[in-house]
Amino acid sequence: GLFAFLLVSLLLSSCTLDNIAAQQDKATGLWGELVGAETFGQSFTSTRDNLYRIDLGTATYARANTAPIIFHLRVSPSSDGDIVTLTLPASEIQNDRPTTIEFEPLKNSAGTAFYFYVESPEATPGNAVTLYVNSYDQYPDGTAYRSEQPVNADLAFTAYSQEEYTLTSIWGVLSRRVRQDIGFFICYGAALLAVLAFLGVFFHKRHDRGLG
């Protein structure tokens, strides 16, 4: 009964891990203060399901700004509505390191194009944040936007997915891999059995010599 309980608990247990779904984390400089009606944005494509987080390279000019920042996530720059809208207090914006923005996981996000942008309508010069940008446009699956106009550059960002793993799901992945390359796994299994058999004979002989 105890063994059965432990086995069921193991099968039902799970762990959740973060995986990178899109990334352009290199920067060449800052984009200037985000003030008034201006917006800073970036398009990208998620390579994984359950997109739930974007780390955005931000800077506060090492000062205590007070104007909040509004984050928007859409399918494209031309979309009318947001998938996600979040308001971040100025105190949550990091200086010279990524600011983490989390939202409910988007289940079918793999292979989907997205566009996010930030604005800070209450910000004024001297009371505003900025974003890190790469002016060499090194990210092939998207581009930066400034006030809704595409720019030959990319923001510094990393998008994450949330993956849940269980013993049964891992076994399912393993079984699919075995079926895809069954010859390799047969050879690998045979080699492993041969090594185990050799070790068994080796230690058995050592044991017999010790008894003699």
Side-chain angles (χ1 to χ4, degrees):
L2 178 60
F3 175 77
F5 173 77
L6 292 175
L7 179 61
V8 171
S9 298
L10 183 60
L11 290 172
L12 294 178
S13 63
S14 64
C15 62
T16 302
L17 301 175
D18 286 350
N19 287 308
I20 293 176
Q23 185 176 53
Q24 196 303 107
D25 60 350
K26 295 178 173 56
T28 58
L30 298 173
W31 231 4
E33 292 181 304
L34 177 63
V35 297
E38 195 166 27
T39 62
F40 296 166
Q42 173 74 39
S43 60
F44 70 97
T45 299
S46 174
T47 60
R48 294 178 176 272
D49 287 331
N50 300 313
L51 177 72
Y52 89 105
R53 167 182 159 192
I54 293 176
D55 284 5
L56 189 57
T58 57
T60 66
Y61 298 100
R63 63 193 179 204
N65 302 299
T66 60
I69 288 81
I70 306 173
F71 170 85
H72 304 262
L73 180 66
R74 298 181 171 186
V75 173
S76 72
S78 60
S79 299
D80 293 330
D82 292 346
I83 302 172
V84 176
T85 307
L86 294 171
T87 299
L88 288 76
S91 59
E92 293 184 6
I93 306 303
Q94 303 297 311
N95 183 48
D96 293 334
R97 60 179 185 268
T99 294
T100 296
I101 303 166
E102 292 189 15
F103 41 86
E104 287 295 318
L106 305 178
K107 293 183 179 180
N108 300 313
S109 57
T112 301
F114 293 97
Y115 168 70
F116 69 80
Y117 72 94
V118 292
E119 60 177 340
S120 186
E122 300 176 20
T124 56
N127 181 29
V129 303
T130 187
L131 302 184
Y132 277 94
V133 66
N134 186 327
S135 60
Y136 294 114
D137 194 21
Q138 294 181 330
Y139 178 66
D141 296 324
T143 191
Y145 285 76
R146 188 158 189 165
S147 295
E148 300 180 354
Q149 298 302 314
V151 180
N152 190 32
D154 292 300
L155 296 182
F157 77 99
T158 302
Y160 291 91
S161 70
Q162 196 173 67
E163 306 286 346
E164 186 175 25
Y165 296 94
T166 64
L167 185 60
T168 52
S169 67
I170 294 172
W171 176 255
V173 172
L174 180 60
S175 63
R176 287 196 298 272
R177 293 292 300 273
V178 170
R179 291 195 298 271
Q180 290 171 359
D181 197 357
I182 191 167
F184 168 79
F185 282 98
I186 289 175
C187 293
Y188 181 81
L192 181 61
L193 289 174
V195 171
L196 293 175
F198 171 78
L199 291 175
V201 171
F202 175 76
F203 285 110
H204 181 69
K205 288 183 176 179
R206 287 194 61 183
H207 178 69
D208 288 345
R209 285 198 296 269
L211 290 177

